[in-house]
Every structure is written in C-alpha cells, then in structure tokens.
C-alpha cells in the first residue's frame, strides 16, 4: 500500500474522505503537549504531493495557536489534519488512511514533551521542541 500512487482515508462516520497523492512512506510523530491533548497520545502526521478532500461541510476547524489550525469531523469527532498557517501546508492524521499501518517513522519531534507511555521503537531521528523551533526559525518562520 505504501507504494500506491494514492492513499485513501476517511473519518469514523465517513462524512469526510481524504485522498493523498504520492504519500510519503513515513509518518512524522509529534509529541508536543498540544498534539497530546488533541489526540490523546501523539500526532502521527502523513503528507504527500497533493491532496483532495470530500465532505468539507462536515469539517470543524480550531485555531490552536497563532501559527496552526487543526480540523476534526463535527459529526464523529475524528481528528483530520493540522494546517501550518504561515505556509498553508497541511499534514493529515495517518490513522485515517487504509494501508498507513505499514508506514515507517520518519522522525519524532518534541520528544522532550513526550508521555512516558508513548515510547516508540526504532532508529530514527528524535528532536526536542527547541531543536524543531530553531530549525523553523532558520527557515524564516516567526513564532510568538
Ligand atoms: Zn466523521
Ligand atoms: Zn505537536
């Protein structure tokens, strides 16, 4: 499935359906305190070259900070995506997608805010929040 040109996802009630074209083969795991509160554990982010969304009428968005918006299904409550407002880039909750369970982990970020009960195995990069923010500042983003 990870080699498919597209990957299909949907929320629990199927009101919202998402297709990602040329998805990455790895998810990025965010352990920050906002992602933990939002999803209950961590945020497994999946991105790709492009995406299409059906059922946007069912989507509710919440601006969780000055730089990010998060979306969920207003009917079933499934979390859907994270949108980085400075670029408009979105990543999607990997668990929504059929076949995404075979993907690997690209990296873990905000590991200094990680809950102990979400230790993940594997030899992939792990960055603290300070390292992630420093990298974003170097790329030109401003945070309050
Ligand atoms: Zn739903
Ligand atoms: Zn996060």
């Amino acid at each position: 499935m990870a080699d498919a040109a597209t990957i299909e996802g949907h929320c629990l009630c199927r009101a919202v359906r998402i297709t990602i074209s040329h998805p990455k083969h790895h998810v990025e795991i965010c352990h920050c305190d906002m992602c933990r509160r939002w999803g209950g554990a961590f945020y497994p982010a999946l991105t790709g070259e492009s995406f299409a969304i059906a059922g946007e009428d069912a989507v509710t968005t919440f601006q969780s900070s000055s730089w990010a918006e998060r979306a969920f299904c207003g009917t079933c409550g499934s979390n859907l995506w994270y949108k980085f407002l400075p670029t408009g880039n979105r990543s999607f909750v990997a668990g929504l997608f059929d076949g995404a369970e075979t993907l690997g982990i690209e990296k873990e970020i905000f590991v200094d805010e990680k809950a102990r009960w979400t230790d993940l195995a594997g030899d992939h990069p792990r960055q603290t929040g300070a390292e992630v923010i420093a990298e974003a500042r170097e790329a030109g983003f401003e945070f309050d």
Side-chain angles (χ1 to χ4, degrees), residues 26-27 29 31 42 103-108 111 114-126:
H26 295 81
V27 298
I29 304 285
H31 292 284
F42 51 75
L103 300 173
I105 296 174
E106 181 180 355
K107 63 178 172 178
E108 293 180 63
V111 290
K114 184 171 70 62
R116 287 186 189 176
W117 34 266
T118 56
D119 284 344
L120 300 174
D123 185 21
H124 48 261
R126 294 175 170 85

Side-chain angles (χ1 to χ4, degrees), residues 8-19:
E8 307 275 343
H10 60 80
C11 63
L12 269 180
C13 76
R14 296 176 182 263
V16 184
R17 294 170 311 284
I18 301 164
T19 304

Side-chain angles (χ1 to χ4, degrees), residues 53-68:
I53 298 162
E56 282 216 62
D57 290 356
V59 174
T60 302
T61 57
F62 173 70
Q63 190 173 336
S64 54
S65 66
S66 60
W67 64 86

Side-chain angles (χ1 to χ4, degrees), residues 32 109-113 127-135:
C32 82
I109 60 171
F110 287 86
V111 290
D112 49 319
E113 299 180 22
Q127 292 181 309
T128 64
E131 288 168 339
V132 172
I133 288 167
E135 225 176 63

Side-chain angles (χ1 to χ4, degrees), residues 30-36 43 70 82 109-110:
C30 184
H31 292 284
C32 82
D33 59 351
M34 282 192 283
C35 285
R36 186 173 64 248
Y43 172 42
R70 297 166 191 260
Y82 173 100
I109 60 171
F110 287 86

